[in-house]
Amino acid sequence: MFDPSSDLSSGQKRRVVVGVVLLVAVGIGAIGVAADFQEKRLDAEVTVVNTSDPTNIHRASVLTIRVHNQESRAIDPEFQTVHGQLMTHFYWNRIDGPETLQPGESAVYRLRAPVATAAIPYETRTMLAVNDEGVDDQLRTIFTLDARKPPDVLNPSFQHWLVQSGSGNYPYRWARVTTDRRGERTVIESAPNESGATLSVRGVDRESGPWSMARLYQQSAFPSTLHVEATPHTVVQNTTGEPPRAVGVGVRESNHRVWVVFADVENRTVVHQQGDPSYLYVYVPAEPGERVSTTVDVQALYEQHNWELQPKNSGSSTA
């Protein structure tokens, strides 16, 4: 989900295009656990019960672990994983589960990856290590996540943000494009609750001329259906042609463009602008500052306008 900046005035000249939010069910990866205990110094049993990918990044970012303490003393379990070419160790955050496990006790722990890169890619052999916090004792087990079909758009809710040196903040696996003109400033930042993106163009005091743009984009499989949630603070007033100011979501491939744009209309309106490339503007009713939720059948639009998706161009850019 995303929330365009609330400090924009209706007179600002801007074009803002943002990433897609899809209705994709939470993926639960099937698990193959190998009873491969290495360096068994902590006397305990550890079982990987379940994994999930709630933010659709094609990595398991939530693990459910069962631990049985067979020590004669209490332990304070902490969990880390090792995977990838660099064999980096990641400590996972405990969501649920007791801080201390008494001798002979069992408990289920739900863990969250500290960052997106720590989440476990599917079909990857991963080492899970359980430590008694503050003690050198450790128990290791190896498991592999079974194959899973990746979502069309990775990280559609923008919940994972990474700091890249010299480039600012990006949601995981999304790229950033900005165009500044005449002293205007484009801004892309994390929403306050870190579950969305805020995009804006600031310092605009003109009504015409080349666009400034704040945009997030991602190469993806062709998304036949889009579900978009946003709070636009600029809506299109005139839907007869290409909008001079817009907030929305776009899909592009080859010479076709589909834009879902928030507008001052009573009913959803589709405007076809022929050319190379050809555009379909899907104007969705919206009020400035109010939450909008809409679903657009992109594949049906292609069929209605006799647009053909070429196999060699089946990869699309979603922004």
Side-chain angles (χ1 to χ4, degrees), residues 13-15 179-182 184 204 206-213 244:
K13 169 75 174 178
R14 73 173 190 174
R15 177 190 182 192
T179 303
D180 300 291
R181 301 182 187 276
R182 302 185 184 182
E184 296 155 5
V204 182
R206 59 191 172 92
E207 292 296 328
S208 63
W211 286 342
S212 290
M213 178 185 295

Side-chain angles (χ1 to χ4, degrees), residues 4 6 26 61 71-72 79 95 108 114 139 188 203 208 210 243 246-247 297:
S6 60
V26 172
S61 60
E71 294 280 357
S72 58
F79 305 86
I95 304 172
V108 173
L139 172 64
I188 299 176
S208 63
V247 178
D297 190 335

Side-chain angles (χ1 to χ4, degrees), residues 227-240:
H227 177 72
V228 184
E229 296 185 15
T231 305
H233 291 271
T234 296
V235 297
V236 171
Q237 301 296 324
N238 185 349
T239 60
T240 59

Side-chain angles (χ1 to χ4, degrees), residues 131-152:
N131 296 76
D132 182 8
E133 186 176 359
V135 181
D136 290 336
D137 291 359
Q138 184 180 84
L139 172 64
R140 301 181 184 184
T141 187
I142 307 296
F143 67 98
T144 301
L145 298 183
D146 292 343
R148 175 178 180 266
K149 182 182 180 297
D152 290 335

Side-chain angles (χ1 to χ4, degrees), residues 19 22 54 83 120 148 150 153 220 253 314:
L22 296 180
H83 62 81
I120 303 168
R148 175 178 180 266
V153 177
S220 71
E253 56 79 29
S314 58

